[in-house]
Amino acid sequence: MNKNYLIQILQECLHRVYETDAYLLEIDIDERCINHRLAMYLTERLETDELKVDTEYNRHLVDMKYYEENTYGSIDILFHQRGLDNNNIAAFECKKEAISETDIAKIHALIGPDFNYQYGVTIEYRSKEVKLYQMIDEDIIEEIIEI
């Protein structure tokens, strides 16, 4: 998927979250609720018969998704083809406040050779800080996305 297209869609969907769902941020609701709203907007714009938007996904093919030895967990939002590794588009870690080193490590693992996601995205809802990560020639490139 073209990076600029993904960024455009992400910006539009986040604008919808901030405009339509501002109340959720005001009342300090659990981030999973906000992630659901973002995933819903991403689904409207991105999903196809083949590519799906999933939340709290914890599988790699059919097994548990391990990021480091003996460390597994779910990803907030994934845009991918289920059950295959050849069409993994974007992985999102989203927090109301600060993104942790653990979140960044998950994103780095997902854009690496074991999972082959084209892009990783971190979102801090309150500060509106969004970063896009991409593996280019074995280097991880980080880019700040304006919202």
Side-chain angles (χ1 to χ4, degrees):
M1 170 171 281
N2 177 284
K3 178 177 81 169
N4 292 330
Y5 179 71
L6 178 65
I7 290 170
Q8 175 189 340
I9 297 299
L10 179 57
Q11 288 169 323
E12 291 171 10
C13 292
L14 280 169
H15 281 282
R16 282 187 71 186
V17 167
Y18 290 120
E19 291 170 8
T20 306
D21 303 306
Y23 177 74
L24 300 176
L25 289 164
E26 291 170 17
I27 64 168
D28 201 30
I29 197 108
D30 189 87
E31 71 194 32
R32 287 175 291 190
C33 182
I34 303 164
N35 292 346
H36 166 75
R37 300 300 293 178
L38 176 58
M40 185 178 73
Y41 301 138
L42 289 168
T43 297
E44 290 173 5
R45 296 298 311 275
L46 293 173
E47 260 197 18
T48 66
D49 290 340
E50 197 172 82
L51 296 172
K52 303 297 178 190
V53 174
D54 287 311
T55 60
E56 299 299 326
Y57 205 84
N58 69 348
R59 292 286 186 255
H60 177 230
L61 306 177
V62 296
D63 298 319
M64 291 298 289
K65 192 178 290 266
Y66 285 89
Y67 305 101
E68 297 174 1
E69 189 174 324
N70 297 323
T71 303
Y72 66 90
S74 61
I75 296 297
D76 292 332
I77 302 171
L78 288 178
F79 177 46
H80 63 149
Q81 184 173 357
R82 297 173 183 152
L84 300 172
D85 271 345
N86 61 342
N87 219 354
N88 291 336
I89 309 298
F92 300 79
E93 276 297 304
C94 313
K95 300 293 181 255
K96 287 188 295 184
E97 302 295 339
I99 293 290
S100 71
E101 290 300 318
T102 302
D103 297 323
I104 293 170
K106 279 186 195 179
I107 291 296
H108 286 185
L110 288 166
I111 62 175
D114 291 339
F115 300 101
N116 293 312
Y117 278 82
Q118 293 176 31
Y119 308 101
V121 178
T122 58
I123 299 169
E124 294 178 7
Y125 289 116
R126 291 213 192 279
S127 68
K128 297 184 178 181
E129 183 173 298
V130 179
K131 293 180 181 174
L132 182 120
Y133 300 84
Q134 188 176 10
M135 180 79 73
I136 299 176
D137 298 327
E138 298 183 22
D139 292 322
I140 296 175
I141 308 301
E142 177 185 305
E143 179 180 341
I144 294 174
I145 307 299
E146 296 295 324
I147 300 300

